[in-house]
Every structure is written in C-alpha cells, then in structure tokens.
Amino acid sequence: MQYRTLGRTGVQVSSLALGAMNFGRIGRTTQDEATAIVDAALEGGINLIDTADMYSAGESEEMVGKAIAGRRDDIVLATKAGMPMGDERNHRGSSRRWLVTELDNSLRRLGVDHVDLYQIHRWDPNTSDEETLSALTDLQRAGKIRHFGSSTFPAYRIVQAQWAAREHHLSRYVTEQPSYSILQRGIESDVLPVTEQYGLGVLVWSPLASGWLSGAIREGREIATSRSTFMPERFDTTIPANRARLDAVERLAEVAEEAGLTMIQLALGFVTAHPAVTSALIGPRTLDHLHTQLAAADTVLSADVLDAIDAIVAPGVDLAAHEKHDTPPALLDPSLRRR
C-alpha cells in the first residue's frame, strides 16, 4: 500500500480508501460482513474509511462505528452530510441549522466524539458559502471535526468557497471528493487543476465506473451486476453513451491483458497515477470484492499503458456526460435560464 499526504493537512492516508456506501441495505451487507471487510481492509494497509449520513439512512455509519470500536485512533474517519435525510425540508443542505444537528447525529451513529474529515456531500445552491464555512469552522473549533471538505463540487464552486474562506477569515475546505474513472475524465479539465492550485486532497469515488471497469462487463455477456439491477438505464447498451462505454471497455481489456493486469488493476492504477489524486475510494460489497481491489494497491502503470488509455478515452472526456453529478442547476432546470 502507498501512503500520501491528504492535501496540506499533514495527515497520511492510504492510496486506496474504504468507501462504506454498500454497508447496510444498499449493498445488503450485514454487520458481520461489514466488520470482516473493515478488518481485512485495515490488515491490507487501508487507513481511511469514508461513509455518509444518507447511506442506508444512517445504517452505514452505525455499522462502521461498530466495526472500528476499540481502534478509532488508528483510522482516518470521514463522513458526509447534505443529502436529504427524510421528507422534512430542512433535514438536508448545508445550513448551520442542519449541519450542527446532523453532525451530532453522525457522531452518535458512529459512536465517536469527532470525525477527521467532514464533507459537504453536494453543493447547496440555497446556502451561502459564508453560512456553511462559518458553521464548519465553529464545529472544528469545538473539536467535533478535525478538517472539512467538499464532495462533487463544480470547479467554480470550489474556487468560490476558497475565496469566501479568505474573505471572511474562516477555515477552508481542504479536500474534494469527485467522481473519476477512465470512462469519466471530465474533472481533468477543470476540477483537478483547481484542487492542485489550492492544495486540496482529492478522494475520488467510482473509480470502477459503477462496475463498468470491474471486468464483469464485456461484449456478449449479460450485464448482471448489483448496480445494474436498480440502475438499468446506465447499462442499457442500446443507449449510445452506454454503447460507447462498452466499446471502450473492450479496447481497455486488451490493454490490460497485454500489460498482464486485471481490469481492476488498470482502473485503480489509472486514477491513482494522476498527481492531483490522493486516494481512490473502493466500495466492496463482499470480501472477495475487497481482495480483488486490494490487489491493485501497488499497481503502477507504465507511460506506454497510460498513453494507450489516452488513445481510447481522451483526457478530459466524459463518455457519459449526462451522468455528471456537478452539473450547474441552470442546465437541469429550464426555469433557471429563462427570465
């Protein structure tokens, strides 16, 4: 396992980090299975665990808390807030009112008195940067969080938040957590240059592109991954974007085979090769999934392999641009672009 400094925090984290989204009802994972995954991840050198309040409506945080009991100080613990936690309209977003309340809920579920990294799950257009950063700064000074970061923010919002922190003399975001894979490289053109400019740590999610790069999806095979059962539109190969992904996967498989690598090693080795990336978040549902992903921990791709990947999916290109999670609201809601 490789270790890198998380931005400019001085905290050392593993190049592969354990994402706990599949703990609980989302991944149909029991407590015993989640604990076994955490045990194996720590034994394999992972020291960063990332979860969120909304994963299985808090169940993931509860499972993580039980799994790390007795060894909290050996783990860099991260969670997130901001996505809806029920139907109540104020139980979401990044207002001071909600963050102060929800952090206490997360600490209770995790069974800890602080988290090392508290992340705003999505940019909240209804709340000012000053409001959010002020609340996070106060929570940091209270000792409930050590650092805070953003997740899936557009590049211009990352910049704006840095400026707001400076203008109002507040603590700043020190990390960003974007989606990044061989098939979704859009952040190379905007987000990653910004994170490098401001010295942010980068924890990338979905490096296996929702299973497209796991090796299980190939031409002529029925697509029967866990994700495809509840998101079938993302795997329907009659849709042009999905057809483009499958074509790219077939060419990437040839590159991996020639290099003596699995598809998982190729995918994880690619994202961790970018100098702006600190860690890649893996989200195994089973121990077998974890072991196949841990096998990529020390994968270093040669320049020839990276060049071959660039020839298949060009730098800065998203093969499924409609799936981006940081699209400005006005592109999604026509009323916001009309007087």
Side-chain angles (χ1 to χ4, degrees), residues 147-191:
H147 303 284
F148 50 85
S150 56
S151 176
T152 323
F153 275 34
Y156 75 98
R157 295 308 316 175
I158 297 173
V159 173
Q160 183 61 38
Q162 295 290 315
W163 289 353
R166 182 181 302 173
E167 178 183 358
H168 299 289
H169 306 288
L170 299 168
S171 295
R172 68 187 187 99
Y173 294 126
V174 298
T175 60
E176 162 60 15
Q177 187 178 133
S179 174
Y180 184 44
S181 73
I182 294 175
L183 304 182
Q184 294 286 91
R185 301 184 60 174
I187 66 168
E188 293 173 346
S189 66
D190 44 36
V191 169

CSV table of all heavy atoms in Angstrom, one decimal, residues 147-191:
chain,number,residue,atom,x,y,z
A,147,HIS,N,-11.0,18.3,10.2
A,147,HIS,CA,-10.9,19.0,8.9
A,147,HIS,C,-12.2,18.9,8.2
A,147,HIS,O,-13.0,18.0,8.6
A,147,HIS,CB,-9.8,18.4,8.0
A,147,HIS,CG,-8.4,18.4,8.6
A,147,HIS,ND1,-7.6,19.5,8.7
A,147,HIS,CD2,-7.7,17.4,9.2
A,147,HIS,CE1,-6.5,19.2,9.4
A,147,HIS,NE2,-6.5,17.9,9.6
A,148,PHE,N,-12.4,19.7,7.2
A,148,PHE,CA,-13.7,19.6,6.4
A,148,PHE,C,-13.4,19.7,4.9
A,148,PHE,O,-12.4,20.3,4.5
A,148,PHE,CB,-14.8,20.5,6.9
A,148,PHE,CG,-14.5,21.9,7.0
A,148,PHE,CD1,-14.5,22.8,5.9
A,148,PHE,CD2,-14.1,22.5,8.3
A,148,PHE,CE1,-14.2,24.1,6.1
A,148,PHE,CE2,-13.8,23.8,8.4
A,148,PHE,CZ,-13.9,24.6,7.3
A,149,GLY,N,-14.3,19.1,4.1
A,149,GLY,CA,-14.1,19.2,2.7
A,149,GLY,C,-15.4,19.2,1.9
A,149,GLY,O,-16.5,19.2,2.5
A,150,SER,N,-15.3,19.2,0.6
A,150,SER,CA,-16.4,19.2,-0.3
A,150,SER,C,-16.5,17.9,-1.1
A,150,SER,O,-15.5,17.2,-1.1
A,150,SER,CB,-16.4,20.4,-1.3
A,150,SER,OG,-15.1,20.4,-2.0
A,151,SER,N,-17.6,17.7,-1.7
A,151,SER,CA,-17.8,16.4,-2.5
A,151,SER,C,-18.6,16.8,-3.7
A,151,SER,O,-19.7,17.3,-3.6
A,151,SER,CB,-18.5,15.3,-1.6
A,151,SER,OG,-18.7,14.2,-2.4
A,152,THR,N,-18.0,16.5,-4.9
A,152,THR,CA,-18.7,16.6,-6.2
A,152,THR,C,-19.1,18.1,-6.4
A,152,THR,O,-20.2,18.3,-6.9
A,152,THR,CB,-19.9,15.7,-6.2
A,152,THR,OG1,-19.6,14.4,-5.6
A,152,THR,CG2,-20.2,15.3,-7.7
A,153,PHE,N,-18.2,19.0,-6.0
A,153,PHE,CA,-18.5,20.4,-6.3
A,153,PHE,C,-18.0,20.7,-7.7
A,153,PHE,O,-16.9,20.3,-8.1
A,153,PHE,CB,-17.7,21.3,-5.3
A,153,PHE,CG,-18.4,21.6,-4.0
A,153,PHE,CD1,-19.3,20.6,-3.4
A,153,PHE,CD2,-18.3,22.8,-3.3
A,153,PHE,CE1,-19.9,20.9,-2.2
A,153,PHE,CE2,-18.9,23.0,-2.1
A,153,PHE,CZ,-19.7,22.1,-1.6
A,154,PRO,N,-18.7,21.6,-8.5
A,154,PRO,CA,-18.1,22.1,-9.7
A,154,PRO,C,-16.9,22.9,-9.4
A,154,PRO,O,-16.7,23.5,-8.3
A,154,PRO,CB,-19.3,23.0,-10.2
A,154,PRO,CG,-20.5,22.6,-9.5
A,154,PRO,CD,-20.0,22.1,-8.2
A,155,ALA,N,-16.0,23.0,-10.4
A,155,ALA,CA,-14.7,23.7,-10.2
A,155,ALA,C,-14.9,25.1,-9.7
A,155,ALA,O,-14.2,25.6,-8.8
A,155,ALA,CB,-13.9,23.7,-11.4
A,156,TYR,N,-15.9,25.8,-10.3
A,156,TYR,CA,-16.1,27.3,-10.0
A,156,TYR,C,-16.6,27.4,-8.5
A,156,TYR,O,-16.3,28.4,-7.9
A,156,TYR,CB,-17.0,28.0,-10.9
A,156,TYR,CG,-18.5,27.6,-10.8
A,156,TYR,CD1,-19.3,28.5,-10.1
A,156,TYR,CD2,-19.0,26.5,-11.4
A,156,TYR,CE1,-20.7,28.2,-10.0
A,156,TYR,CE2,-20.4,26.2,-11.3
A,156,TYR,CZ,-21.2,27.1,-10.6
A,156,TYR,OH,-22.5,26.8,-10.5
A,157,ARG,N,-17.3,26.4,-8.0
A,157,ARG,CA,-17.8,26.5,-6.6
A,157,ARG,C,-16.6,26.2,-5.6
A,157,ARG,O,-16.6,26.7,-4.5
A,157,ARG,CB,-18.9,25.5,-6.4
A,157,ARG,CG,-20.2,25.8,-7.1
A,157,ARG,CD,-20.7,27.2,-7.0
A,157,ARG,NE,-20.6,27.7,-5.6
A,157,ARG,CZ,-20.9,28.9,-5.2
A,157,ARG,NH1,-21.3,29.8,-6.2
A,157,ARG,NH2,-20.9,29.3,-4.0
A,158,ILE,N,-15.7,25.3,-6.0
A,158,ILE,CA,-14.5,25.1,-5.2
A,158,ILE,C,-13.7,26.4,-5.1
A,158,ILE,O,-13.3,26.7,-4.0
A,158,ILE,CB,-13.6,24.0,-5.8
A,158,ILE,CG1,-14.4,22.6,-5.9
A,158,ILE,CG2,-12.3,23.8,-5.0
A,158,ILE,CD1,-13.7,21.5,-6.6
A,159,VAL,N,-13.5,27.1,-6.2
A,159,VAL,CA,-12.8,28.3,-6.1
A,159,VAL,C,-13.5,29.4,-5.3
A,159,VAL,O,-13.0,30.1,-4.4
A,159,VAL,CB,-12.6,28.9,-7.6
A,159,VAL,CG1,-12.0,30.3,-7.5
A,159,VAL,CG2,-11.7,28.0,-8.4
A,160,GLN,N,-14.9,29.5,-5.5
A,160,GLN,CA,-15.6,30.5,-4.8
A,160,GLN,C,-15.6,30.2,-3.3
A,160,GLN,O,-15.5,31.2,-2.5
A,160,GLN,CB,-17.1,30.4,-5.2
A,160,GLN,CG,-18.0,31.5,-4.6
A,160,GLN,CD,-17.5,32.9,-4.8
A,160,GLN,OE1,-17.1,33.2,-6.0
A,160,GLN,NE2,-17.6,33.8,-3.8
A,161,ALA,N,-15.6,29.0,-2.9
A,161,ALA,CA,-15.5,28.6,-1.4
A,161,ALA,C,-14.2,29.0,-0.8
A,161,ALA,O,-14.1,29.4,0.3
A,161,ALA,CB,-15.8,27.1,-1.2
A,162,GLN,N,-13.1,28.8,-1.6
A,162,GLN,CA,-11.8,29.2,-1.2
A,162,GLN,C,-11.7,30.7,-1.0
A,162,GLN,O,-11.2,31.2,0.0
A,162,GLN,CB,-10.7,28.8,-2.2
A,162,GLN,CG,-10.6,27.3,-2.3
A,162,GLN,CD,-10.0,26.6,-1.1
A,162,GLN,OE1,-9.0,27.0,-0.5
A,162,GLN,NE2,-10.6,25.5,-0.7
A,163,TRP,N,-12.3,31.5,-1.9
A,163,TRP,CA,-12.3,32.9,-1.8
A,163,TRP,C,-13.1,33.4,-0.6
A,163,TRP,O,-12.8,34.3,0.2
A,163,TRP,CB,-12.9,33.6,-3.1
A,163,TRP,CG,-12.0,33.5,-4.2
A,163,TRP,CD1,-10.7,33.0,-4.3
A,163,TRP,CD2,-12.3,33.8,-5.6
A,163,TRP,NE1,-10.2,33.1,-5.5
A,163,TRP,CE2,-11.1,33.6,-6.4
A,163,TRP,CE3,-13.4,34.3,-6.2
A,163,TRP,CZ2,-11.1,33.8,-7.8
A,163,TRP,CZ3,-13.4,34.6,-7.6
A,163,TRP,CH2,-12.2,34.3,-8.3
A,164,ALA,N,-14.3,32.7,-0.4
A,164,ALA,CA,-15.1,33.1,0.8
A,164,ALA,C,-14.4,32.8,2.1
A,164,ALA,O,-14.6,33.7,3.0
A,164,ALA,CB,-16.4,32.3,0.7
A,165,ALA,N,-13.7,31.7,2.2
A,165,ALA,CA,-13.0,31.5,3.4
A,165,ALA,C,-11.9,32.5,3.7
A,165,ALA,O,-11.8,33.0,4.8
A,165,ALA,CB,-12.3,30.1,3.3
A,166,ARG,N,-11.3,33.0,2.7
A,166,ARG,CA,-10.2,34.0,2.8
A,166,ARG,C,-10.9,35.3,3.2
A,166,ARG,O,-10.4,36.0,4.1
A,166,ARG,CB,-9.4,34.1,1.5
A,166,ARG,CG,-8.3,35.2,1.6
A,166,ARG,CD,-7.6,35.3,0.3
A,166,ARG,NE,-7.1,34.0,-0.1
A,166,ARG,CZ,-6.5,33.7,-1.3
A,166,ARG,NH1,-6.4,34.7,-2.2
A,166,ARG,NH2,-6.0,32.5,-1.6
A,167,GLU,N,-12.0,35.7,2.5
A,167,GLU,CA,-12.6,37.0,2.7
A,167,GLU,C,-13.2,37.1,4.1
A,167,GLU,O,-13.1,38.2,4.8
A,167,GLU,CB,-13.8,37.1,1.7
A,167,GLU,CG,-14.5,38.5,1.9
A,167,GLU,CD,-15.7,38.6,0.9
A,167,GLU,OE1,-15.9,37.6,0.1
A,167,GLU,OE2,-16.4,39.6,1.0
A,168,HIS,N,-13.7,36.0,4.7
A,168,HIS,CA,-14.4,36.0,6.0
A,168,HIS,C,-13.5,35.5,7.1
A,168,HIS,O,-14.0,35.3,8.2
A,168,HIS,CB,-15.7,35.3,5.9
A,168,HIS,CG,-16.7,35.9,4.9
A,168,HIS,ND1,-17.3,37.1,5.1
A,168,HIS,CD2,-17.1,35.4,3.7
A,168,HIS,CE1,-18.1,37.4,4.0
A,168,HIS,NE2,-18.0,36.4,3.2
A,169,HIS,N,-12.3,35.2,6.8
A,169,HIS,CA,-11.3,34.7,7.8
A,169,HIS,C,-11.8,33.4,8.5
A,169,HIS,O,-11.9,33.3,9.7
A,169,HIS,CB,-11.0,35.8,8.8
A,169,HIS,CG,-10.6,37.1,8.2
A,169,HIS,ND1,-9.3,37.2,7.7
A,169,HIS,CD2,-11.2,38.3,8.1
A,169,HIS,CE1,-9.2,38.5,7.2
A,169,HIS,NE2,-10.4,39.1,7.4
A,170,LEU,N,-12.3,32.5,7.6
A,170,LEU,CA,-12.8,31.2,8.1
A,170,LEU,C,-11.9,30.1,7.7
A,170,LEU,O,-11.1,30.2,6.8
A,170,LEU,CB,-14.2,31.0,7.6
A,170,LEU,CG,-15.2,32.0,8.0
A,170,LEU,CD1,-16.5,31.9,7.1
A,170,LEU,CD2,-15.6,31.9,9.5
A,171,SER,N,-12.0,28.9,8.3
A,171,SER,CA,-11.3,27.7,7.9
A,171,SER,C,-11.8,27.4,6.5
A,171,SER,O,-13.0,27.7,6.1
A,171,SER,CB,-11.4,26.6,8.8
A,171,SER,OG,-10.8,26.9,10.1
A,172,ARG,N,-11.0,26.6,5.7
A,172,ARG,CA,-11.4,26.3,4.3
A,172,ARG,C,-11.5,24.9,4.1
A,172,ARG,O,-11.1,24.0,4.9
A,172,ARG,CB,-10.4,26.9,3.4
A,172,ARG,CG,-9.0,26.2,3.5
A,172,ARG,CD,-7.9,26.9,2.6
A,172,ARG,NE,-6.7,26.1,2.6
A,172,ARG,CZ,-6.4,25.3,1.5
A,172,ARG,NH1,-7.2,25.2,0.5
A,172,ARG,NH2,-5.3,24.6,1.6
A,173,TYR,N,-12.2,24.5,3.0
A,173,TYR,CA,-12.2,23.1,2.6
A,173,TYR,C,-10.8,22.7,2.3
A,173,TYR,O,-10.1,23.4,1.6
A,173,TYR,CB,-13.1,23.0,1.3
A,173,TYR,CG,-14.6,23.2,1.5
A,173,TYR,CD1,-15.2,24.1,0.7
A,173,TYR,CD2,-15.3,22.6,2.5
A,173,TYR,CE1,-16.6,24.4,0.9
A,173,TYR,CE2,-16.6,22.8,2.7
A,173,TYR,CZ,-17.3,23.7,1.8
A,173,TYR,OH,-18.6,23.9,2.0
A,174,VAL,N,-10.4,21.5,2.7
A,174,VAL,CA,-9.1,21.0,2.5
A,174,VAL,C,-9.1,19.8,1.6
A,174,VAL,O,-8.0,19.3,1.2
A,174,VAL,CB,-8.3,20.7,3.8
A,174,VAL,CG1,-8.2,21.9,4.6
A,174,VAL,CG2,-9.0,19.6,4.6
A,175,THR,N,-10.3,19.3,1.2
A,175,THR,CA,-10.4,18.2,0.3
A,175,THR,C,-11.5,18.3,-0.6
A,175,THR,O,-12.5,19.1,-0.4
A,175,THR,CB,-10.6,16.8,1.1
A,175,THR,OG1,-11.8,16.9,1.8
A,175,THR,CG2,-9.4,16.5,2.0
A,176,GLU,N,-11.5,17.6,-1.7
A,176,GLU,CA,-12.6,17.5,-2.6
A,176,GLU,C,-12.8,16.0,-3.0
A,176,GLU,O,-11.8,15.3,-3.1
A,176,GLU,CB,-12.4,18.3,-3.9
A,176,GLU,CG,-13.3,18.0,-5.1
A,176,GLU,CD,-14.8,18.1,-4.9
A,176,GLU,OE1,-15.2,18.7,-3.9
A,176,GLU,OE2,-15.5,17.6,-5.8
A,177,GLN,N,-14.1,15.5,-3.1
A,177,GLN,CA,-14.3,14.2,-3.4
A,177,GLN,C,-15.2,14.1,-4.7
A,177,GLN,O,-16.4,14.2,-4.7
A,177,GLN,CB,-15.1,13.5,-2.3
A,177,GLN,CG,-15.2,12.0,-2.5
A,177,GLN,CD,-15.9,11.2,-1.3
A,177,GLN,OE1,-16.8,10.5,-1.5
A,177,GLN,NE2,-15.5,11.5,-0.1
A,178,PRO,N,-14.5,14.0,-5.8
A,178,PRO,CA,-15.2,13.9,-7.1
A,178,PRO,C,-15.3,12.5,-7.7
A,178,PRO,O,-14.6,11.6,-7.3
A,178,PRO,CB,-14.3,14.8,-8.0
A,178,PRO,CG,-12.9,14.4,-7.5
A,178,PRO,CD,-13.1,14.1,-6.0
A,179,SER,N,-16.2,12.3,-8.6
A,179,SER,CA,-16.2,11.1,-9.4
A,179,SER,C,-15.2,11.1,-10.5
A,179,SER,O,-15.0,12.1,-11.2
A,179,SER,CB,-17.6,10.9,-10.0
A,179,SER,OG,-17.7,9.8,-10.9
A,180,TYR,N,-14.4,10.0,-10.6
A,180,TYR,CA,-13.3,9.9,-11.6
A,180,TYR,C,-13.0,8.5,-12.0
A,180,TYR,O,-12.9,7.6,-11.1
A,180,TYR,CB,-12.1,10.6,-11.0
A,180,TYR,CG,-10.9,10.7,-11.9
A,180,TYR,CD1,-11.0,11.1,-13.2
A,180,TYR,CD2,-9.6,10.4,-11.4
A,180,TYR,CE1,-9.9,11.3,-14.0
A,180,TYR,CE2,-8.5,10.6,-12.2
A,180,TYR,CZ,-8.6,11.0,-13.5
A,180,TYR,OH,-7.5,11.1,-14.3
A,181,SER,N,-12.9,8.3,-13.2
A,181,SER,CA,-12.5,7.0,-13.7
A,181,SER,C,-12.0,7.1,-15.2
A,181,SER,O,-12.1,8.2,-15.7
A,181,SER,CB,-13.7,6.0,-13.7
A,181,SER,OG,-14.6,6.3,-14.8
A,182,ILE,N,-11.5,6.0,-15.7
A,182,ILE,CA,-11.1,6.1,-17.1
A,182,ILE,C,-12.2,6.5,-18.0
A,182,ILE,O,-11.9,7.2,-19.0
A,182,ILE,CB,-10.5,4.7,-17.6
A,182,ILE,CG1,-9.3,4.3,-16.8
A,182,ILE,CG2,-10.3,4.6,-19.1
A,182,ILE,CD1,-8.8,2.9,-17.1
A,183,LEU,N,-13.4,6.1,-17.7
A,183,LEU,CA,-14.5,6.4,-18.6
A,183,LEU,C,-15.2,7.8,-18.3
A,183,LEU,O,-15.9,8.3,-19.1
A,183,LEU,CB,-15.6,5.4,-18.4
A,183,LEU,CG,-15.2,3.9,-18.7
A,183,LEU,CD1,-16.4,3.0,-18.5
A,183,LEU,CD2,-14.6,3.7,-20.0
A,184,GLN,N,-14.8,8.4,-17.2
A,184,GLN,CA,-15.4,9.7,-16.8
A,184,GLN,C,-14.2,10.6,-16.4
A,184,GLN,O,-13.8,10.7,-15.2
A,184,GLN,CB,-16.4,9.6,-15.7
A,184,GLN,CG,-17.7,8.9,-16.0
A,184,GLN,CD,-18.6,9.7,-16.9
A,184,GLN,OE1,-18.5,9.6,-18.1
A,184,GLN,NE2,-19.5,10.5,-16.3
A,185,ARG,N,-13.6,11.3,-17.4
A,185,ARG,CA,-12.4,12.0,-17.2
A,185,ARG,C,-12.6,13.5,-17.2
A,185,ARG,O,-11.6,14.3,-17.2
A,185,ARG,CB,-11.3,11.6,-18.2
A,185,ARG,CG,-11.0,10.2,-18.2
A,185,ARG,CD,-9.9,9.8,-19.2
A,185,ARG,NE,-8.6,10.5,-18.9
A,185,ARG,CZ,-7.5,10.3,-19.6
A,185,ARG,NH1,-7.4,9.4,-20.6
A,185,ARG,NH2,-6.4,11.0,-19.3
A,186,GLY,N,-13.8,14.0,-17.1
A,186,GLY,CA,-14.1,15.4,-17.3
A,186,GLY,C,-13.4,16.3,-16.2
A,186,GLY,O,-13.1,17.4,-16.5
A,187,ILE,N,-13.2,15.7,-15.0
A,187,ILE,CA,-12.6,16.6,-14.0
A,187,ILE,C,-11.2,16.9,-14.3
A,187,ILE,O,-10.6,17.9,-13.6
A,187,ILE,CB,-12.7,15.9,-12.6
A,187,ILE,CG1,-11.9,14.7,-12.5
A,187,ILE,CG2,-14.2,15.7,-12.2
A,187,ILE,CD1,-11.7,14.1,-11.1
A,188,GLU,N,-10.6,16.2,-15.2
A,188,GLU,CA,-9.2,16.6,-15.5
A,188,GLU,C,-9.1,18.0,-16.2
A,188,GLU,O,-8.0,18.6,-16.1
A,188,GLU,CB,-8.6,15.5,-16.5
A,188,GLU,CG,-8.4,14.2,-15.9
A,188,GLU,CD,-8.0,13.1,-16.9
A,188,GLU,OE1,-8.1,13.4,-18.2
A,188,GLU,OE2,-7.6,12.0,-16.5
A,189,SER,N,-10.2,18.4,-16.8
A,189,SER,CA,-10.1,19.7,-17.5
A,189,SER,C,-10.4,20.9,-16.6
A,189,SER,O,-10.1,22.0,-16.9
A,189,SER,CB,-11.1,19.7,-18.6
A,189,SER,OG,-12.4,19.6,-18.2
A,190,ASP,N,-11.0,20.7,-15.4
A,190,ASP,CA,-11.4,21.8,-14.5
A,190,ASP,C,-11.2,21.5,-13.0
A,190,ASP,O,-10.4,22.3,-12.4
A,190,ASP,CB,-12.9,22.2,-14.8
A,190,ASP,CG,-13.8,21.0,-14.9
A,190,ASP,OD1,-13.6,20.0,-14.1
A,190,ASP,OD2,-14.8,21.1,-15.7
A,191,VAL,N,-11.8,20.5,-12.5
A,191,VAL,CA,-11.7,20.3,-11.1
A,191,VAL,C,-10.3,20.0,-10.6
A,191,VAL,O,-9.8,20.6,-9.6
A,191,VAL,CB,-12.6,19.1,-10.6
A,191,VAL,CG1,-12.4,18.7,-9.2
A,191,VAL,CG2,-14.1,19.6,-10.8
